Structure formats: structure tokens, C-alpha cells
Amino acid sequence: MKRKPQLLIAATSSGCGKTTFTLGLLRALRKRGLSVASFKCGPDYIDPKFHALASSPSLEELHLHTSINLDQYMMSSEHLREVYTRHSKAADAMIVEGVMGLFDGATRMQGSSASLAQTLDIPVVLLVNAASSAYSVGALIYGFAHWKPDVQIAGVIFNRVASESHYRFLVEAAEDAGVPSLGYIPRTQLLDVPSRHLGLSLSELERLDELPESIATLIEQHVEVNRLLELCLRPTPPQPIATSQESTQGNLRISVARDEAFNFIYQENILALERLGEISYFSPIRDRALPATDLVYLPGGYPEFYLEQLSANAAMREQIYNYVLGGGKVLAECGGMMYLCRTIIDEAGTSYPMCGVLDNEATMEEMKLSLGYRSVHTAGLTLRGHEFHYSKLKHTGSEDNIAQQHNARGIEVPTAMYRKGNVIAGYTHLYWAEQNILDLWSAQDNEEANA
């Protein structure tokens, strides 16, 4: 059986430089002429954009290098393995960026980087922040290597290393911990990953392109890349059998909002929508007309950074309002839901008119983070998703809450899912790649008919 380099880049904690190292390694392998399939552990939307930038020869080819989310809370194990295998088929190597510390999960190890590595049966390359440390890191490495023996740690990379003499202490520590040291990234302020709000437009991505290039240069100088790839060789995953669902093709016209303000989109959700029909993309910022459509998907993003542009495009706001008035189906998540409200209020208290579909106001005043996995129960259906936002709804409108939601520990949370006509909206970013999202409407209609 053919073998390919496959690895999960993990760390002892958040802030150790996982994203920095991942971007550099992706760019270094691309410069070696390798095609790399990249993945992100968890529900993160921003890191996959950075992955695509690091893997693509040009900004025009970003769409060909999509990084895929792998999330054990939102995805079944069978679906997760199928997704990993399918996207790895044409790749020369596979790289997964982990989340938080190696063993940190929603509950104990559930959904952690370590658990994902176990599920995919791939080794871990552990990143250690070596700032202000020397031989003592050996105890840390030993603990990580032996805490869960069935998690394979292929080697360790040190970040923020002060000098070659500093690195020699670290090598000795790794040797005595029984874990190969594969190199280091020197301490420099040039490699800080920029604001999570950046990278949303092509112009911003063009400015960010220097970051993976700089990291790749340091990796080639200080990391044993060939040895890393050799230690991480694993058998190619068996190719999945195509399902009947994948072979069907619907005839719906589907419109997806995608621009700087709305771009928190799971690629597997898009593939699921493609099975239902033909997708057209539109920009609520720039486009004046909504495509002819049977379903509109308004994903999350950062509408709060583009309030003037969204509000100024009255033609699009009116188009969406009239589409909904005529009975059109809309699924709106987080920022997409905010766009459907009467207004969005910024941090300073300034109000910007939006679509007026929902009898609510969204506000960024007195921001407070709402974060966590969500299990959504509505009309006999259960969907999984993730909530992440700083805004809140200022007033409760006339829309009905049609769902009960729980966090990863099974505790009920007050997050609502609203329905008004054929609009279904809420703060939770849903993952529906294993389901037919149209069931959301049919289940609600059946429940109302049987009431």
C-alpha cells in the first residue's frame, strides 16, 4: 500500500505558534513542488483561509486549495474519515492543524487534537514554546508523550528559540524524554499571525502573503523537513465508496452570500448544497440584484465591519425583503441573521438600517462573547453546530423560537432559532453535510400541520 506523509500539528497549549508553523510548512512544501491537503481541527473559519493562502501558487488559485474543517462534535466518525480521505486523494501529503493544547477537548479529550489524530490514525508533531525554558522542557515533553500512549508523537518542534546554544539544551531535553527533536523556529517578532479579522478580502490576503513566505524560509533553515516527512509516512487511507446521496442532483436554484462581510462557510456544507441544485454566489455589499433563486443562504462573517456599505446598498436590502415577502426560503446564520434585522447598531451606538425582515435589532454595544458547540433540536430533527459572536439581539421581535439548544455537556443554553415565514435564522453556525438542510422546513411544516 502506498504511503504518504500525514501529520497533525499540535501544541502544549494555545499561543505556542501552531498556525504560524502550519503556514510555513504548507508554503515550504508547496515550494518543493508538493501538493498538500490541509485541514483544521475544530469549527474555526479563519485558519483555513490562511492555509489556502499558504498552499496556493497565486491568489487566483485560492479556490483550488480549500482547507477543510474536521470536527468530531459536528461530524460522525464515518463522515469525518470519508471527508479526510476524499480531500486527500490527489495530495502528496496531508497536514492537519490542531486546536488549543493537544489534549484539550469540549469534555476531557472529546473533540481534541489528540482524539482527531487517533481517529485518523496519524502521528502528531508537537510544537513547544521554548521561551524562557531550557532542559526543564524535557519533563513537559515526557508528560505529553506518555499521558496517552496511543497518541503517536513523531517528534517535537521548538518555537521562540533564542539561539543555537539555547536549542542544544532543548535537544538534550527531547532526547532524554525519548522524543525526536526535528528543529526549531527562532524568536522573532516578524512572525506574529495578524488579526483574526484580516484575510477577508483579496487585497488583505495579498498583504498577508509575506508571512508564510518568511516562515517557510526559517523552516528550511532550522527544521529537518525531510526527516519530519519520513517519520510521518503512513498508509494512504482507503478510498470511500460513493453513496447514493452523492450521486443525486437536485434542480434547486441556491444563492449563497459570499464577500468580505459574509464568508464563514464550511466547504462540506457547500458540497451538500450542490447536491440539491445549482449554486450562485452574490455580494450583499456590491451586487444590486439577488439571483433568481429558490433558497438563499446568508452565512456568518463580520457584517459589523461593513455596516456603511451594507446599509448603503438599499437595492439589495429591498430585493431580499421582497423575496422573503413572496415566501422565499432563507437560512441565515449569525452575521446573516443580523443582516436580516431592522438595524445593526455599532459599538458607538450608531444605527444602520438593514433588511427589516426580522423584527429585531442587532447590537455590538457592550460586547460579550458567546461561544461553544451547540446541539439544536427542532421539530424532531437534531443538528450540530457552533456559536461564536460578540453581538446580541436588542429586542425580542415577533419571531417564534423553534428550537432547544444544548452545549457539548448537554446543558441547555438560551440560544434561539427563529422562524418567520420561510426564514429560519439564529446565531448557531450549523453543519449539515450529513443531512438534507431542506428537512428544516419540511419538519417544521409537518409539525404545524399535525398540531
Side-chain angles (χ1 to χ4, degrees):
M1 181 180 291
K2 185 177 180 181
R3 301 202 301 166
K4 296 180 181 180
Q6 303 175 61
L7 62 135
L8 185 145
I9 297 171
T12 55
S13 66
S14 294
C16 287
K18 289 188 302 294
T19 300
T20 299
F21 181 74
T22 301
L23 297 183
L25 186 58
L26 288 172
R27 177 60 60 86
L29 296 183
R30 193 204 83 187
K31 295 175 75 171
R32 289 180 173 212
L34 297 178
S35 171
V36 183
S38 62
F39 304 87
K40 173 64 182 181
C41 176
D44 187 286
Y45 290 101
I46 303 300
D47 284 346
K49 297 179 188 298
F50 293 151
H51 290 184
L53 175 66
S55 301
S56 302
S58 67
L59 294 179
E60 291 72 26
E61 297 181 60
L62 278 177
H63 65 287
L64 300 175
H65 298 271
T66 305
S67 185
I68 303 300
N69 295 85
L70 298 174
D71 190 288
Q72 291 186 289
Y73 181 83
M74 299 192 298
M75 306 165 75
S76 70
S77 295
E78 295 76 17
H79 174 64
L80 187 149
R81 291 190 189 96
E82 187 275 328
V83 168
Y84 176 76
T85 300
R86 174 162 36 88
H87 287 281
S88 301
K89 183 178 180 181
D92 299 313
M94 293 80 114
I95 294 177
V96 184
E97 181 186 346
V99 62
M100 299 187 292
L102 175 58
F103 299 107
D104 296 330
T107 56
R108 288 190 166 88
M109 266 180 58
Q110 181 189 9
S112 67
S113 303
S115 180
L116 180 60
Q118 288 176 319
T119 299
L120 298 176
D121 194 24
I122 61 175
V124 170
V125 171
L126 186 67
L127 203 67
V128 174
N129 180 4
S132 304
S133 300
Y135 186 67
S136 293
V137 299
L140 181 70
I141 296 168
Y142 183 89
F144 271 81
H146 292 82
W147 175 244
K148 300 290 181 181
D150 52 347
V151 177
Q152 317 159 44
I153 296 183
V156 60
I157 303 284
F158 296 101
N159 194 18
R160 304 186 180 107
V161 175
S163 62
E164 282 285 349
S165 60
H166 181 201
Y167 179 57
R168 285 195 290 273
F169 285 104
L170 304 173
V171 170
E172 292 168 349
E175 287 176 350
D176 290 351
V179 178
S181 175
L182 300 175
Y184 71 95
I185 304 296
R187 184 171 60 200
T188 171
Q189 294 181 346
L190 300 177
L191 303 183
D192 291 335
V193 175
S195 167
R196 310 291 286 169
H197 299 161
L198 295 179
L200 303 182
S201 69
L202 286 179
S203 61
E204 290 170 341
L205 284 171
E206 191 170 14
R207 292 196 300 271
L208 293 173
D209 193 55
E210 294 179 4
L211 176 66
E213 191 71 21
S214 299
I215 307 164
T217 299
L218 290 176
I219 285 176
E220 289 289 5
Q221 292 172 349
H222 301 288
V223 175
E224 299 177 66
V225 177
N226 290 337
R227 187 181 180 210
L228 183 155
L229 297 177
E230 184 178 352
L231 287 172
C232 294
L233 285 171
R234 293 297 183 274
T236 304
Q239 294 303 312
I241 299 173
T243 65
S244 58
Q245 184 185 31
E246 290 173 335
S247 62
T248 60
Q249 179 67 38
N251 56 8
L252 285 182
R253 299 167 300 174
I254 303 166
S255 298
V256 177
R258 186 174 67 179
D259 59 18
E260 296 92 325
F262 304 100
N263 52 57
F264 286 4
I265 301 172
Y266 294 122
Q267 179 64 17
E268 288 300 307
N269 280 353
I270 294 298
L271 296 179
L273 289 179
E274 288 178 349
R275 295 194 291 267
L276 300 177
E278 184 175 351
I279 295 177
S280 298
Y281 294 96
F282 71 100
S283 168
I285 291 178
R286 283 177 289 274
D287 293 336
R288 309 291 290 177
L290 188 67
T293 190
D294 302 303
L295 172 64
V296 172
Y297 174 39
L298 296 172
Y302 290 114
E304 62 268 28
F305 294 140
Y306 303 94
L307 294 178
E308 289 186 6
Q309 297 96 314
L310 291 169
S311 186
N313 192 353
M316 178 57 75
R317 294 192 287 113
E318 184 177 355
Q319 288 257 314
I320 291 176
Y321 181 88
N322 289 331
Y323 169 77
V324 171
L325 196 65
K329 286 185 172 67
V330 179
L331 176 63
E333 297 172 344
C334 201
M337 177 184 69
M338 295 167 65
Y339 181 57
L340 292 182
C341 289
R342 295 196 308 271
T343 61
I344 298 178
I345 303 170
D346 68 13
E347 294 179 65
T350 304
S351 183
Y352 294 85
M354 293 294 147
C355 294
V357 169
L358 300 179
D359 186 25
N360 248 311
E361 290 182 303
T363 179
M364 301 300 297
E365 298 170 298
E366 301 176 358
M367 293 191 301
K368 182 180 179 181
L369 177 61
S370 295
L371 170 70
Y373 285 116
R374 300 292 178 254
S375 179
V376 183
H377 310 279
T378 176
L381 291 177
T382 297
L383 295 98
R384 292 288 180 96
H386 187 260
E387 183 177 359
F388 183 96
H389 59 94
Y390 288 92
S391 69
K392 61 179 179 290
L393 299 184
K394 193 170 184 179
H395 301 298
T396 301
S398 59
E399 297 78 29
D400 295 325
N401 179 19
I402 60 171
Q404 295 78 46
Q405 301 196 40
H406 298 81
N407 64 20
R409 294 181 178 271
I411 300 170
E412 188 168 356
V413 295
T415 309
M417 176 183 282
Y418 299 107
R419 179 165 186 183
K420 183 176 183 179
N422 275 325
V423 173
I424 294 178
Y427 268 120
T428 303
H429 300 267
L430 299 172
Y431 185 86
W432 65 76
E434 295 183 74
Q435 297 168 279
N436 186 336
I437 193 60
L438 296 180
D439 289 345
L440 257 180
W441 285 270
S442 58
Q444 293 293 325
D445 293 341
N446 290 336
E447 187 173 80
E448 290 177 8
N450 296 328

